[in-house]
Amino acid sequence: MAKLLVKLQRYFRRKPVRFFTLLALYLAAGSLVFLHSGFTGEPTVTGNQRSPGAGEGPGLPYLGVMQLSRGFKAVATISEGGRRHRARFKSTSKEPAERGKAGDYSSARSRTLRTRSGREKEEDRARYIGCYVDNTRRRTLRGVSFFDYKKMTVFRCQDNCAERGYLYAGLEFGAECYCGHKIQAPNASESECNMECKGERSNTCGGVNRLSIYRLELAQESARRYGSAIFRGCFRRPDNISIALPVSQLMLNMSVDKCVDFCTEKEYPLSALAGTTCHCGFPTTLFTLHEREDEQLCAQKCPGEEFESCGTAEYLLVYQTQVQDNRCMDRRFLPSRAKQLVALASFPGAGNTWARHLIELATGFYTGSYYFDGSLYNKGFKGERDHWRSGRTICIKTHESGQKEIESFDSAILLIRNPYKALMAEFNRKYGGHIGFAAHAHWKGKEWPEFVANYAPWWATHTLDWLRYGKKVLVVHFEDLKRDLFVQLQRMVGLLGITACEDRLLCVEGQKDGNFKRSGLRKLEYDPYTPEMRKMISSYIKTVDTALKLRNLSGVPDDYYPR
């Protein structure tokens, strides 16, 4: 054996080229074997084999989102029986019709009785309307739709629709959620809406081509959506409409889509319907959209769509198009060094990032930060990289609450939010990012109780310290800012020493959400606060309320107290 090795060694010393050639061939063969195993080692997944949750991480169910227009633009194919077929979801579950056949219709009465208590629990948020016919040829609720073939619940559907300002939420096939503003189909028998929800066996979520419909009592009228447009409301015709809404077009076959598309093409953010005339323009001091009228005054049917309203000559139905109002989008650093340092102070989770977005749009100047957050810088907060003492930014974000840190600022806007909402928002940020969500395991594990125990006292001491050590502190409640953005933003801009341009503030109202709002798709379906937590937080709320009133300020809003 030794002699053989010596011979090989001598051979390759004499022929080094052959040695390297053999080595290269060996490596190439090995690479081919590896690549082949990569292609053949994993089975091919076809549409029929794929499970609804394929490709998902643990605890993150797939939630399909589909945008439906009033015309339902071919997002699903229709078979002879009118069933919807989606290759992605055909996998492990039965087809809707098969599930319907498998259901025990004789037990419909008992199942209806069993779910009555579940419906009664929803009455503070929604009211059950009934069971309605639905099919792909003519949608009953013509809005957004959501699918979750694993964890759909009545709450989730209602929350998704309410988040987008719709008036009605409907559930079908036990897993499909539809939103809309009008019910456009006849009633069906209650026994036909007896499919159990995929995410809660104690309640029902419609049936085969049948919707269980709820009216959402808390739907935000100001944010209702119709297709790609946002419904703003019914308003009286402005005195000088040709100046307030400079572009108009007569449309004998008027519909919401036609007017919105026309104004979008003309690059205007507002679309106003006045019977058979479509007006386009911007929100200005001539047409502020602040004095809404009763929608019944605008309830005149559209000539081109019988289920829509098109307003009248005296009362305009206004929609916000997808065109961006660029009058408030320009931002820059301060032209000269600021003479005073103004803090935008808040407890984490109180809406500081959103407030910065509003201030930058309202003033046209970048805001800074006591910290550095690369993700916020990448989202457009260019003042994030500046040192907080640079003097180039209009105000400085801070969550600090120590005396030394507070006294470093010459004045402050103190943003306060309901602690129940602020704690949950900060917990989501900590475990899911600025617009993400904490995983279910974090809420149910030890992280949440420990977080509340540590952060709830900080919510109170943060406000108390700023009231005690801060110089020239302007208190703004997050809830007031959401409810009356124009007035509250005027106060904030006034403290910053900027003369508020009303047209610019009106522009901000139309761009107020930005990219910093969490969607409602994964809100918790239960109250994470225990009685002990609520008792502790309630005591902190009372302490802050007393401190505010001692300084002749309005106390905390009523909804800060436990529900």
Side-chain angles (χ1 to χ4, degrees), residues 95-105 195 208:
E95 287 295 341
E98 294 172 359
R99 283 180 286 172
K101 292 175 184 177
D104 184 4
Y105 287 98
M195 278 191 175
V208 180

Side-chain angles (χ1 to χ4, degrees), residues 256-438:
V256 174
D257 276 342
K258 286 183 174 63
C259 188
V260 168
D261 288 346
F262 172 74
C263 294
T264 300
E265 183 181 344
K266 296 296 182 181
E267 298 186 354
Y268 283 97
L270 290 186
S271 171
L273 293 84
T276 55
T277 304
C278 175
H279 300 281
C280 311
F282 295 93
T284 64
T285 52
L286 296 175
F287 196 49
T288 62
L289 303 184
H290 287 165
E291 299 178 2
R292 294 180 59 164
E293 303 287 348
D294 187 340
E295 286 184 34
Q296 291 302 314
L297 296 172
C298 291
Q300 177 174 296
K301 288 184 179 180
C302 293
E305 177 54 70
E306 60 178 318
F307 295 112
E308 295 176 350
S309 296
C310 276
T312 69
E314 292 300 319
Y315 293 94
L316 311 182
L317 212 54
V318 180
Y319 295 83
Q320 183 173 320
T321 72
Q322 291 296 297
V323 175
Q324 189 175 65
D325 190 343
N326 291 320
R327 296 175 300 163
C328 58
M329 300 308 293
D330 59 301
R331 289 169 292 170
R332 62 189 188 281
F333 289 103
L334 291 173
S336 59
R337 184 181 176 86
K339 296 179 180 179
Q340 292 191 331
L341 288 176
V342 183
L344 178 61
S346 73
F347 173 79
N352 200 302
T353 303
W354 180 55
R356 289 178 68 185
H357 165 73
L358 297 176
I359 290 171
E360 290 194 358
L361 295 187
T363 64
F365 296 113
Y366 288 120
T367 59
S369 177
Y370 196 79
Y371 321 97
F372 170 71
D373 189 325
S375 66
L376 291 181
Y377 177 83
N378 292 333
K379 285 182 177 292
F381 289 101
K382 300 305 181 185
E384 194 75 18
R385 274 190 177 175
D386 270 39
H387 188 275
W388 66 280
R389 286 187 177 275
S390 70
R392 297 207 306 159
T393 53
I394 194 70
C395 64
I396 311 297
K397 163 192 173 178
T398 179
H399 298 311
E400 301 302 310
S401 56
Q403 179 179 353
K404 181 180 178 181
E405 290 80 2
I406 292 173
E407 291 178 344
S408 299
F409 294 95
D410 301 296
S411 58
I413 298 170
L414 177 58
L415 192 63
I416 306 174
R417 187 181 186 184
N418 183 326
Y420 291 97
K421 302 290 180 63
L423 289 169
M424 292 176 69
E426 175 59 11
F427 190 73
N428 275 320
R429 187 209 63 79
K430 186 174 181 181
Y431 290 98
H434 282 283
I435 56 174
F437 292 86

Side-chain angles (χ1 to χ4, degrees), residues 422-547:
L423 289 169
M424 292 176 69
E426 175 59 11
F427 190 73
N428 275 320
R429 187 209 63 79
K430 186 174 181 181
Y431 290 98
H434 282 283
I435 56 174
F437 292 86
H440 184 74
H442 292 135
W443 292 99
K444 288 296 188 180
K446 64 179 182 179
E447 293 94 337
W448 172 244
E450 290 179 354
F451 179 87
V452 173
N454 292 326
Y455 277 67
W458 181 19
W459 176 85
T461 58
H462 182 277
T463 299
L464 297 176
D465 285 350
W466 276 95
L467 292 175
R468 181 178 179 183
Y469 301 118
K471 311 166 190 174
K472 196 178 178 182
V473 177
L474 173 68
V475 174
V476 176
H477 291 285
F478 175 85
E479 293 73 19
D480 291 339
L481 185 59
K482 285 184 66 177
R483 183 167 45 248
D484 195 356
L485 185 143
F486 189 87
V487 171
Q488 297 301 324
L489 200 50
Q490 268 187 325
R491 296 176 63 220
M492 295 163 71
V493 171
L495 181 78
L496 296 172
I498 302 293
T499 302
C501 173
E502 288 192 33
D503 280 359
R504 188 167 183 119
L505 293 179
L506 291 169
C507 169
V508 177
E509 284 189 309
Q511 316 290 329
K512 61 183 179 182
D513 285 343
N515 299 316
F516 315 106
K517 182 181 179 183
R518 291 182 176 87
S519 75
L521 299 182
R522 291 189 55 208
K523 283 186 178 179
L524 285 182
E525 300 178 20
Y526 60 89
D527 185 353
Y529 293 101
T530 64
E532 293 76 17
M533 291 177 183
R534 287 196 292 270
K535 184 178 179 180
M536 173 183 64
I537 295 171
S538 182
S539 67
Y540 293 135
I541 291 173
K542 291 176 181 176
T543 301
V544 170
D545 184 59
T546 301

Side-chain angles (χ1 to χ4, degrees), residues 108-395:
R109 177 178 173 80
S110 62
R111 190 171 290 181
T112 301
L113 291 173
R114 184 181 63 186
T115 60
R116 184 174 298 165
S117 61
R119 287 172 182 164
E120 288 172 353
K121 291 178 183 178
E122 309 296 334
E123 286 183 357
D124 60 333
R125 177 175 61 255
R127 179 165 56 89
Y128 180 69
I129 300 297
C131 183
Y132 287 80
V133 175
D134 183 57
N135 58 63
T136 55
R137 300 179 189 278
R138 187 166 184 172
R139 298 252 59 91
T140 301
L141 296 177
R142 302 182 181 184
V144 175
S145 66
F146 304 90
F147 310 112
D148 191 337
Y149 281 76
K150 284 187 175 182
K151 296 183 179 181
M152 178 60 75
T153 65
V154 173
F155 177 92
R156 176 169 295 184
C157 179
Q158 292 173 356
D159 199 44
N160 288 338
C161 295
E163 179 75 18
R164 286 153 181 77
Y166 285 100
L167 296 180
Y168 296 98
L171 296 108
E172 186 175 6
F173 291 120
E176 302 179 4
C177 173
Y178 295 88
C179 311
H181 300 292
K182 297 178 182 178
I183 300 173
Q184 306 179 63
N187 280 89
S189 170
E190 285 296 316
S191 62
E192 298 179 61
C193 284
N194 69 336
M195 278 191 175
E196 290 182 338
C197 302
K198 291 297 181 181
E200 56 176 344
R201 298 292 179 179
S202 62
N203 218 333
T204 57
C205 287
V208 180
N209 292 331
R210 297 294 183 269
L211 280 176
S212 295
I213 296 182
Y214 295 80
R215 179 177 174 84
L216 305 173
E217 305 296 342
L218 300 183
Q220 298 177 11
E221 299 288 335
S222 61
R224 287 179 9 208
R225 289 184 179 272
Y226 282 75
S228 62
I230 300 174
F231 177 70
R232 296 297 298 270
C234 177
F235 300 90
R236 185 184 294 276
R237 174 191 175 102
D239 293 334
N240 196 334
I241 194 168
S242 61
I243 297 177
L245 300 169
V247 175
S248 63
Q249 177 73 39
L250 179 66
M251 297 180 178
L252 298 179
N253 197 28
M254 173 73 86
S255 70
V256 174
D257 276 342
K258 286 183 174 63
C259 188
V260 168
D261 288 346
F262 172 74
C263 294
T264 300
E265 183 181 344
K266 296 296 182 181
E267 298 186 354
Y268 283 97
L270 290 186
S271 171
L273 293 84
T276 55
T277 304
C278 175
H279 300 281
C280 311
F282 295 93
T284 64
T285 52
L286 296 175
F287 196 49
T288 62
L289 303 184
H290 287 165
E291 299 178 2
R292 294 180 59 164
E293 303 287 348
D294 187 340
E295 286 184 34
Q296 291 302 314
L297 296 172
C298 291
Q300 177 174 296
K301 288 184 179 180
C302 293
E305 177 54 70
E306 60 178 318
F307 295 112
E308 295 176 350
S309 296
C310 276
T312 69
E314 292 300 319
Y315 293 94
L316 311 182
L317 212 54
V318 180
Y319 295 83
Q320 183 173 320
T321 72
Q322 291 296 297
V323 175
Q324 189 175 65
D325 190 343
N326 291 320
R327 296 175 300 163
C328 58
M329 300 308 293
D330 59 301
R331 289 169 292 170
R332 62 189 188 281
F333 289 103
L334 291 173
S336 59
R337 184 181 176 86
K339 296 179 180 179
Q340 292 191 331
L341 288 176
V342 183
L344 178 61
S346 73
F347 173 79
N352 200 302
T353 303
W354 180 55
R356 289 178 68 185
H357 165 73
L358 297 176
I359 290 171
E360 290 194 358
L361 295 187
T363 64
F365 296 113
Y366 288 120
T367 59
S369 177
Y370 196 79
Y371 321 97
F372 170 71
D373 189 325
S375 66
L376 291 181
Y377 177 83
N378 292 333
K379 285 182 177 292
F381 289 101
K382 300 305 181 185
E384 194 75 18
R385 274 190 177 175
D386 270 39
H387 188 275
W388 66 280
R389 286 187 177 275
S390 70
R392 297 207 306 159
T393 53
I394 194 70
C395 64

